[in-house]
Amino acid sequence: MTKFILSIDGGGIRGVIPAAVLTVLTEKLAKRGKTLPLHRYFHLIAGTSTGAIIAAGLTCPRPGRPTEPAADPKTLLDLYKKKGPDIFDIGLFRKMANFGGLFEERYSADALEKILIEMLGKRTEVKDALGKVLITAYDIHARRAVFITNADKDHERFYVWQAVRGSSAAPTYFEPALVEDLAKTAHGQTPMLPLIDGGVFANDPAMAAYVEGSKLGWRENGDEMVILSLGTGSANRKIPYQQAKSWGAGGWINPANDTPLISVLMQGQSSTASYQLNKLLNREPPSFAEGATVVTLANKANLNYFRLDAPLVGANDALDDATPKNIADLEKFGRVLAQKHDLALEEIAERIKAIQL
């Protein structure tokens, strides 16, 4: 049996891109008579940071409607358009008080938390998700990666909105999140985990999702894992040597420079994960072009790993440029990306067509 995994990268407001790609995929599925929510077709949906917002929206039950997902791709795309400017609103007082984020976090998390609670509910736990979901974060006390998922009974007792808040707490942008581990609370242990953005170690969570699928026995059972991995557009601006050599610690993390260190870490991990999974899951690994799997009529049937991404052109690659113009440019980029990789999306849709529910 084929197990389908959907993985969505981190990238701040650039989450508009995978949301746009997923709207195209749902249209392709609808043409094939597959009109159920995406969590019914993907056996696991993984996300980091902005990808965690999408993953949770697609799998978490809607408040007051426990059998329906909180959002579909179109709803998520609208969320970025309408609420993105609120999330990344620095405010004049905060800007003056902290020199644009140099001495404390650039943004208040209040707007983000309000939006997450409205969409996901305040008491809904990861164990209550309608499908398998994986959210990554990093514990700054224990100094370890955290994998929050209902694919593992030991890691599912978290409120969904808090898990997403922790996963999206990008250093210098938002303060760390205190997230309650409800399993520890039940056993009388210290329950609060201080979490930051999972992008510091798994901006592309596809490899983590592959491991969770393996833990579920999918490999041992002879199942094939097919992964659709969606990027958020890769930064293509060169970091000028003449500038970088004199930056020092402050320059590498300064939001005024678009926090280049964070960008390097995120993009480096994403490119590593895609390289590894291409070799691991594709019997005859195809070449990569601009960070994406090269899918052809000749090789598409032999592929089990599909990576869709490209250098971001025509839009700002900053994580927090939520101006209406840039959001529109990001959506356009996402739709062009989907068109460019139409063969890959068609292949995924065609294989999902065979799922009997």
Side-chain angles (χ1 to χ4, degrees), residues 142-161:
R143 298 296 290 269
R144 65 181 179 90
V146 177
F147 302 95
I148 299 173
T149 176
N150 57 350
D152 187 327
K153 293 291 184 183
D154 294 330
H155 300 95
E156 65 177 5
R157 296 297 314 280
F158 294 85
Y159 294 124
V160 181
W161 81 266

Side-chain angles (χ1 to χ4, degrees), residues 2-65:
T2 301
K3 300 292 187 181
F4 292 95
I5 295 173
L6 172 62
S7 175
I8 307 123
D9 284 16
I13 194 62
R14 284 158 36 198
V16 168
I17 295 169
V21 172
L22 288 173
T23 61
V24 175
L25 178 60
T26 56
E27 291 166 2
K28 292 182 179 299
L29 290 171
K31 290 179 180 179
R32 292 167 168 82
K34 296 293 183 179
T35 57
L36 295 176
L38 286 181
H39 76 269
R40 298 293 301 275
Y41 304 125
F42 286 96
H43 299 85
L44 173 63
I45 300 179
T48 293
S49 195
T50 199
I53 295 175
I54 296 174
L58 296 175
T59 57
C60 179
R62 181 180 300 182
R65 298 184 182 181

